[in-house]
């Protein structure tokens, strides 16, 4: 099928000029490019290219340059080679931030990966009011993240009159130091993050579930499969490409976690929720204005994530296409 | 024709050469400023955010008076209130007003990194230049003593307390604690009798390090030692150890520090204003914020001095500096110093300025006359208080435990190098002590000292 498309495209291309036009070979190529619609394509793409160039690619290029400079953006920058990188790599907070980010990612995967999947599967099994359940699941996504975090922050009050502690008190438990203890703070952050983000993933899974051919379920049912076997042998294999994508997106997303630690705890208590992105933020805006160190760490994070993504796609390519 | 062409060229050449000077080692000199005295300048000055209409009008009146004196300067007001994170972004983005204010804590760092203009030569020409209180002036000076930023307000750290909670706990609001042991006992009593936090402790956004260092100063310690050009972090010391053990005992033995251990400045003041905290260590000039922005009942407010115990015990000082944008042209710098002299220093040195400022504050129901520290000497301060005596609207008798003694307490400047970094590094140390009963104070302090030294050395 793919071959047919290619051959049709080749056939529909204008014939190559048999003779060079008066403008010479280069002029001919330009004229042909314009005739083929290259110019109009460029004009249409230009606003997008400008926007991306100005607001995305230029800052990225600028950040790469800044990572090799000592700069506070006020005085003249000074090129310092790899000093920013060695400084960041020798910062004793870096291993702590990496560990915390990894911990957040693992907890978020444990809580945040299966829950939306189970919710979507459960919703897809519901005959009535599926839209209502989907809307309810999606509702937290509509709440602005800052509002959600500040709301949960009051719920997490360490006093025995706090919302969650009051609820825990009904069952004779607590009060718990939700955000006020190094061991409790990160799971508390992940709990809110899962609540806030699960709705979006549920919608993706629900959409993917509609593409699962119903006859596969019918066939499984005829073969005597129960609901769990149908999920295991039909639903999950059919969702595999989507599951892979959401997994890598979640890994990338959790590696860049910032809002929750910044607003809930500011990285505390005792750096127990300081993540890599929060560290980058503190380098840049924590008072010192060390933009060189901030961009160096950003660059390292981007490279690590790119490598991680490449390895992930390479190792899972075979599974996702079979 | 020729002369008409030469004049603007000369101005351009002069401006260019002055600009070159200003970005180099040499500051703008009074002679340069004189040469630019008649140049048309538009000066962007800071005006507090969210002011009432009357206050804006009062500001505009002052600006008009200034323009009358300096017809070549056009004053454009730009809303600005210092907040740590937005300030860093504004500074980097070049969106600050030409004249702005910063806390003392930021002064030395901004000067070291040359992120503000060197106006020291012009400041030296001001009539009161040699009369600043030395400790206060140090916050705006470079290592060689040049006054890059002008102190416009000063305070010493103090203990704010809630008189209503004191009374409810059976303590005398007119006799607040005078030793650290008494502070601990009072906190315990408040916590026991009222169920509220005895002593609220800030620990986030660099405030943990700030308040811990306040305690250390009051116990006779210092955070940095300066010898020539060399600055050494002195954090792994008996005084820091003592201060942390004191907090540890209040938290884990007495349980008198409440349930919130991630307070920053804003949240601690909000809870203090709401009557949830019995005592809180902070800057002595916080009354205005507590009353106007956190709706505290003025009758409940009390403040006292820090107990000073130890050989070299001192009160950590703080305050506000007026500074000028590093990218300001020489003409703007000259105009900016004129504005600082007229608007900020006029409140302290002239009757007209003091009364105009007090009237503007009254117009928006802001407190007038809350005791602070003198930027110059006691006499100048007393004189300015006299000028506005009729407009004072704060309960001065409730400030007595502070104002009766603060002027006799030795004042010490904040650590001179990497101040915010030092405070930021100590935040997790304080948090660890307050959230982990088995926190290893020795290791925490040793690690913190090493980290702070690295930051000082990075410059």
């Amino acid at each position: 099928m793919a071959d047919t498309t290619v051959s049709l495209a080749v056939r529909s291309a204008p014939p190559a000029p048999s003779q060079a036009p008066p403008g010479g070979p280069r002029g001919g190529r330009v004229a042909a490019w314009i005739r083929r619609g290259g110019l109009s394509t460029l004009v249409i793409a230009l606003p997008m290219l400008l926007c991306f160039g100005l607001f995305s690619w230029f800052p990225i290029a600028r950040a790469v340059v800044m990572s090799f400079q000592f700069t506070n953006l006020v005085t003249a920058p000074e090129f310092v080679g790899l000093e920013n990188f060695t400084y960041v790599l020798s910062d004793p907070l870096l291993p702590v931030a990496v560990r915390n980010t990894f911990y957040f990612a693992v907890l978020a995967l444990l809580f945040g990966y299966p829950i939306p999947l189970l919710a979507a599967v459960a919703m897809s099994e519901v005959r009535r009011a599926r839209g209502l359940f989907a809307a309810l699941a999606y509702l937290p996504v509509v709440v602005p993240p800052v509002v959600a975090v500040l709301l949960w922050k009051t719920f997490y009050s360490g006093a025995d009159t706090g919302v969650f502690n009051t609820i825990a008190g009904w069952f004779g438990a607590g009060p718990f130091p939700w955000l006020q203890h190094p061991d409790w703070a990160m799971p508390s952050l992940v709990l809110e993050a899962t609540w806030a983000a699960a709705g979006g993933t549920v919608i993706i899974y629900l959409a993917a579930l509609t593409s699962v051919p119903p006859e596969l379920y019918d066939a499984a049912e005829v073969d005597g499969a129960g609901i769990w076997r149908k999920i295991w042998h039909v639903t999950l294999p059919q969702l595999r490409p989507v599951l892979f994508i959401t997994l890598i997106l979640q890994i990338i997303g959790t590696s860049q976690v910032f809002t929750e630690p910044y607003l809930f705890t500011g990285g505390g208590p005792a750096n127990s929720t300081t993540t890599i992105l929060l560290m980058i933020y503190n380098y840049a805006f924590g008072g010192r204005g060390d933009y060189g160190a901030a961009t160096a760490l950003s660059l390292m994070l981007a490279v690590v994530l790119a490598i991680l993504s490449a390895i992930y796609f390479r190792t899972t390519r075979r599974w996702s296409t079979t | 024709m020729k002369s008409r062409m030469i004049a603007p060229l000369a101005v351009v050449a002069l401006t260019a050469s002055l600009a070159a000077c200003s970005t180099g080692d040499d500051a703008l000199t009074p002679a340069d400023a004189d040469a630019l005295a008649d140049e048309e300048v538009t000066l962007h000055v800071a005006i507090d955010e969210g002011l009432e209409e009357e206050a804006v009008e009062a500001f505009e009146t002052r600006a008009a008076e200034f323009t009358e004196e300096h017809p070549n300067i056009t004053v454009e007001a730009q809303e600005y209130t210092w907040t740590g994170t937005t300030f860093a972004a504004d500074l980097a983005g070049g969106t600050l007003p030409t004249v702005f204010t910063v806390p003392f804590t930021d002064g030395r760092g901004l000067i070291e990194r040359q992120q503000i203009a060197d106006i020291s030569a012009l400041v030296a020409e001001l009539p009161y230049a040699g009369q600043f209180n030395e400790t206060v002036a140090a916050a705006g000076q470079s290592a060689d003593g040049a006054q890059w930023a002008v102190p416009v307000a000063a305070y010493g750290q103090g203990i704010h307390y809630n008189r209503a909670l004191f009374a409810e706990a059976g303590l005398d609001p007119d006799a607040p604690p005078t030793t650290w042991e008494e502070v601990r006992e009072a906190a315990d009593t408040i916590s026991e009798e009222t169920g509220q936090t005895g002593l609220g402790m800030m620990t986030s956004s660099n405030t943990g390090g700030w308040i811990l260092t306040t305690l250390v100063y009051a116990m006779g310690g210092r955070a940095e030692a300066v010898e020539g050009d060399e600055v050494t972090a002195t954090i792994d010391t008996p005084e820091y150890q003592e201060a942390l053990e004191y907090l540890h005992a209040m938290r884990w033995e007495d349980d008198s520090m409440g349930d919130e251990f991630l307070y920053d400045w804003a949240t601690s003041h909000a809870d203090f204003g709401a009557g949830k905290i019995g005592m809180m260590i902070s800057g002595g000039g916080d009354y205005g914020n507590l009353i106007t922005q956190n709706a505290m009942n003025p009758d409940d407010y009390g403040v006292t001095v820090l107990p000073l115990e130890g050989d070299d015990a001192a009160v950590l000082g703080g305050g506000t500096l007026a500074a000028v944008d590093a990218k300001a042209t020489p003409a703007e710098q000259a105009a900016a110093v004129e504005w600082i002299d007229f608007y900020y220093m006029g409140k302290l040195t002239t009757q007209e300025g003091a009364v105009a400022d007090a009237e503007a504050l009254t117009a928006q129901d802001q407190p007038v006359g809350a005791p602070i520290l003198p930027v110059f000497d006691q006499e100048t301060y007393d004189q300015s208080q006299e000028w506005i005596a009729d407009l004072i609207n704060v309960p001065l008798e409730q400030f007595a435990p502070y104002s009766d003694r603060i002027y006799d307490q030795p004042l010490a400047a904040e650590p001179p190098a990497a101040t915010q970094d030092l405070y930021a590094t100590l935040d997790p140390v304080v948090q660890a002590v307050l959230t982990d009963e088995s926190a290893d104070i020795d290791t925490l302090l040793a690690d913190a000292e090493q980290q702070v030294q690295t930051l000082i050395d990075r410059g």
Side-chain angles (χ1 to χ4, degrees), chain B residues 3-4 46 51 89 107 112 116 119 132 139 146 175 177 187 194 237 253 293 304 332 343 357 386 425 435 453:
Chain B
S3 63
R4 276 163 65 191
L51 292 181
E112 269 172 37
I116 56 174
I119 54 170
F132 285 108
T194 70
T237 59
E253 290 172 28
Q293 290 178 44
T304 186
E332 286 170 344
Y343 183 71
D357 180 54
E386 251 177 59
T425 307
T435 59
Q453 193 61 53

Side-chain angles (χ1 to χ4, degrees), chain B residues 179-242:
Chain B
T179 65
W180 287 112
E181 194 49 44
E182 285 177 19
V183 171
R184 183 178 169 183
E185 284 165 13
D188 198 18
T189 309
I190 292 167
S191 179
E192 286 283 323
E193 300 298 325
T194 70
Q196 304 293 356
T197 299
L199 177 75
M201 180 76 187
M202 293 184 233
T203 64
S204 298
S205 305
N206 305 1
T207 59
W210 178 48
I211 301 301
L212 176 64
T213 303
T214 300
L215 276 168
V216 167
Y217 272 46
M219 292 174 176
R222 293 294 183 274
E224 289 172 357
V226 183
E227 206 169 312
D229 289 342
E230 200 162 317
V231 180
T232 312
T234 53
I235 289 169
D236 191 7
T237 59
E239 289 84 2
Y240 268 100
Q241 179 95 24
E242 184 187 353

Side-chain angles (χ1 to χ4, degrees), chain A residues 233-288:
Chain A
H233 291 292
V234 179
T235 310
L236 289 181
Q238 289 293 314
L239 288 183
R240 196 156 55 189
V242 176
L243 285 170
F244 285 140
I245 292 295
T246 53
L247 183 63
I248 192 70
L249 286 178
Q250 178 145 2
I251 290 171
I252 292 172
T254 51
S255 303
Q256 297 179 342
V257 61
F258 173 76
T259 312
E260 287 81 8
Y262 176 69
L263 288 172
F264 269 123
T265 57
N271 285 327
S272 61
T273 56
T274 297
T275 59
I276 297 171
L277 232 66
L278 191 61
M279 209 176 145
I280 293 170
Y281 174 84
N282 284 334
Y283 277 142
F285 302 112
R288 164 172 286 262

Side-chain angles (χ1 to χ4, degrees), chain A residues 66-143:
Chain A
M66 278 168 65
S67 66
F68 297 99
Q69 292 177 327
F70 191 80
T71 177
N72 55 32
L73 296 178
V74 176
T75 49
E78 178 192 343
F79 274 94
V80 291
L82 293 172
E83 197 183 307
N84 288 323
F85 292 90
T86 52
Y87 168 69
V88 169
L89 288 172
S90 62
D91 190 331
L93 195 55
L94 184 65
V96 177
V98 170
R99 196 172 59 234
N100 288 340
T101 308
F102 187 70
Y103 183 39
F104 183 95
V106 169
L107 282 179
L109 278 180
L110 284 176
F111 295 154
Y113 196 61
I115 289 174
L117 183 61
L118 291 174
V121 170
M123 278 180 214
S124 69
E125 293 295 320
V126 174
R127 302 269 176 231
R128 293 167 60 189
R130 188 183 299 172
L132 177 68
F133 287 119
L136 285 175
Y138 197 69
L139 205 57
V141 183
V142 181
V143 180

Side-chain angles (χ1 to χ4, degrees), chain A residues 138-183:
Chain A
Y138 197 69
L139 205 57
V141 183
V142 181
V143 180
V146 174
V147 175
V149 169
L150 294 180
L151 199 66
W152 276 67
K153 202 173 175 180
T154 61
F155 296 168
Y156 277 146
S157 166
D160 48 11
T161 51
V163 174
F164 287 161
N165 277 341
T166 303
I167 295 169
W170 296 340
F171 302 97
F176 300 115
W178 300 98
L179 300 171
Q180 311 290 334
H181 192 281
D183 295 340

Side-chain angles (χ1 to χ4, degrees), chain A residues 285-309:
Chain A
F285 302 112
R288 164 172 286 262
D290 196 340
Y291 299 98
T295 48
L297 184 51
S298 304
L299 204 64
M300 286 192 276
L301 177 64
V303 168
V304 168
L305 287 179
I307 292 170
L308 198 68
S309 304

Side-chain angles (χ1 to χ4, degrees), chain B residues 4-84:
Chain B
R4 276 163 65 191
M5 283 179 67
I6 287 170
L9 280 175
V11 171
V12 169
L14 175 65
T15 311
S17 63
L18 293 180
C21 283
S22 70
T23 52
D25 290 329
D26 297 328
L28 183 64
T29 67
D32 298 334
D34 286 345
L36 295 164
D38 295 327
E39 191 174 320
E40 290 291 332
V41 179
T42 299
L43 186 66
H44 294 269
V45 303
I47 179 173
D48 285 345
E49 287 172 354
L51 292 181
E52 299 291 332
E53 201 179 324
E54 292 89 343
V56 175
E57 279 170 15
F59 180 88
E60 283 170 353
T61 307
R62 293 289 287 157
E65 287 166 13
F66 176 76
T67 314
E68 206 171 309
E69 279 182 33
H70 305 276
N72 62 315
I73 302 172
T74 306
V75 174
E76 297 267 355
Q78 181 180 327
E79 284 205 338
Y80 164 85
T81 298
W82 186 90
T83 49

